[in-house]
Amino acid sequence: MLRTIESGSRSYEELKAWGDCINRTLVNLDFFAESPEFSGSYHYMIAEDCVAARLFGTAHCTARSQRRLREVDNDFVLLIYLRTGQAMVSHRRYAGAVPEGSFIAFDSSRPHELIMRERFDHLVLRMPKARFVSLHPAISSMLDRPVSGPAAEMQAAAGILDMIVSLGGAMPSTVSTMSETVVKLLGDWLVKDGEGEVGRAVRHDLLAGRIMKCLEDNFTDPDYSPTRLAGAMGISRRYVDSIFAEMKSTFGKAMLEKRLERCHLLLSAPQFRDRSVTDIAFESGFNDLSHFSKRFRERYGISPRAVRKSAA
């Protein structure tokens, strides 16, 4: 357990000043160090909605605690490249060592802890989470696990991130484009590394996304079945069932939820009041009106006709 160095000492003041600068420009964190000889330096630049930084320092711990989450409601990603120094990380579903040369992505809306027990040199990119996850279909998997390896994509991403910091705030539009390139390169590597543990997880996540998209496109078809879905995906029916089980659901439950959501939306909208309840139910994939009414009441605690009446 790391303990804060003695208040009033030179190292304490340096840690505090270092932490205050990071809190102002990157994210609100708590800082701890057990060595009486802490030292660190911090260089950063801001371009549009991104911040790029390079951090040097000695052993310490940073934590995004529940208290910090309550202080500031942030919703962005901190992408960190460990140029030198290995780390211990606790974040979302991952807890363990992260070797030198790895990338880590922290979700600022979740608690996390990063422990450095040796000198380190880090590159950091802060980007709004919505923008981060939109840049590549595989990149959100980085929020659950660090990635490392000698792949060309990772080396290129690290090199571009280094160049971004070196620009020192010049050409903000170019820096914004370069930041997106870093994220896309990492996403490409995640897909390419299909045989590794991370790659297998990414392929699984992408397949789950494709399954949900297929459901979205076909839920109004009353005859659509898990067998047809499996055939469209090129996988077995058992694999389809296992993916829904991981999402704490089933094919039938997912289809029912989408159909009920569509019915509730149309019944609540005044512009559709000329459409009968029966027509809306059947057009949404139901083929039994009594079954629809029963499930609708179970889901929303009110009958379909009562929803229609309140929207009139």
Side-chain angles (χ1 to χ4, degrees), residues 125-146:
L125 175 65
R126 192 188 86 169
M127 179 181 287
K129 186 165 66 175
R131 182 180 176 192
F132 180 84
V133 299
S134 72
L135 291 173
H136 198 287
I139 200 65
S140 60
S141 65
M142 274 196 71
L143 296 172
D144 287 318
R145 54 184 76 84

Side-chain angles (χ1 to χ4, degrees), residues 93-276:
R93 289 185 287 180
Y94 183 84
V98 180
E100 183 177 296
S102 300
F103 276 94
I104 317 167
F106 288 120
D107 179 348
S108 71
S109 67
R110 303 286 188 89
H112 68 254
E113 186 177 65
L114 174 67
I115 300 175
M116 302 301 303
R117 297 195 179 277
E118 56 190 359
R119 286 187 172 274
F120 67 90
D121 177 359
H122 291 172
L123 297 173
V124 182
L125 175 65
R126 192 188 86 169
M127 179 181 287
K129 186 165 66 175
R131 182 180 176 192
F132 180 84
V133 299
S134 72
L135 291 173
H136 198 287
I139 200 65
S140 60
S141 65
M142 274 196 71
L143 296 172
D144 287 318
R145 54 184 76 84
V147 296
S148 60
E153 292 87 351
M154 288 192 60
Q155 297 305 312
I160 294 172
L161 187 50
D162 198 359
M163 283 191 287
I164 291 172
V165 178
S166 300
L167 285 173
M171 301 180 294
S173 60
T174 301
V175 167
S176 181
T177 301
M178 291 170 69
S179 299
E180 292 189 350
T181 301
V182 169
V183 177
K184 290 175 181 178
L185 281 167
L186 292 173
D188 287 344
W189 179 82
L190 288 167
V191 175
K192 181 179 176 181
D193 185 45
E195 298 306 314
E197 179 182 351
V198 174
R200 287 193 296 271
V202 168
R203 287 194 301 174
H204 181 84
D205 292 346
L206 290 175
L207 181 59
R210 287 176 56 209
I211 285 175
M212 296 310 295
K213 176 64 168 60
C214 200
L215 228 64
E216 187 69 39
D217 294 340
N218 293 280
F219 73 87
T220 57
D221 180 354
D223 297 321
Y224 200 68
S225 67
T227 301
R228 283 176 59 185
L229 174 60
M233 294 291 101
I235 58 177
S236 69
R237 163 69 187 272
R238 179 177 293 182
Y239 196 6
V240 168
D241 291 341
S242 70
I243 288 177
F244 278 108
E246 288 182 5
M247 295 187 286
K248 311 297 184 187
S249 185
T250 65
F251 173 88
K253 288 180 180 178
M255 290 287 276
L256 177 63
E257 183 64 19
K258 289 189 175 297
R259 288 167 177 167
L260 289 174
E261 285 177 354
R262 183 179 188 273
C263 289
H264 189 273
L265 177 66
L266 296 182
L267 290 169
S268 303
Q271 62 266 37
F272 294 108
R273 59 178 176 269
D274 59 329
R275 306 263 295 278
S276 70

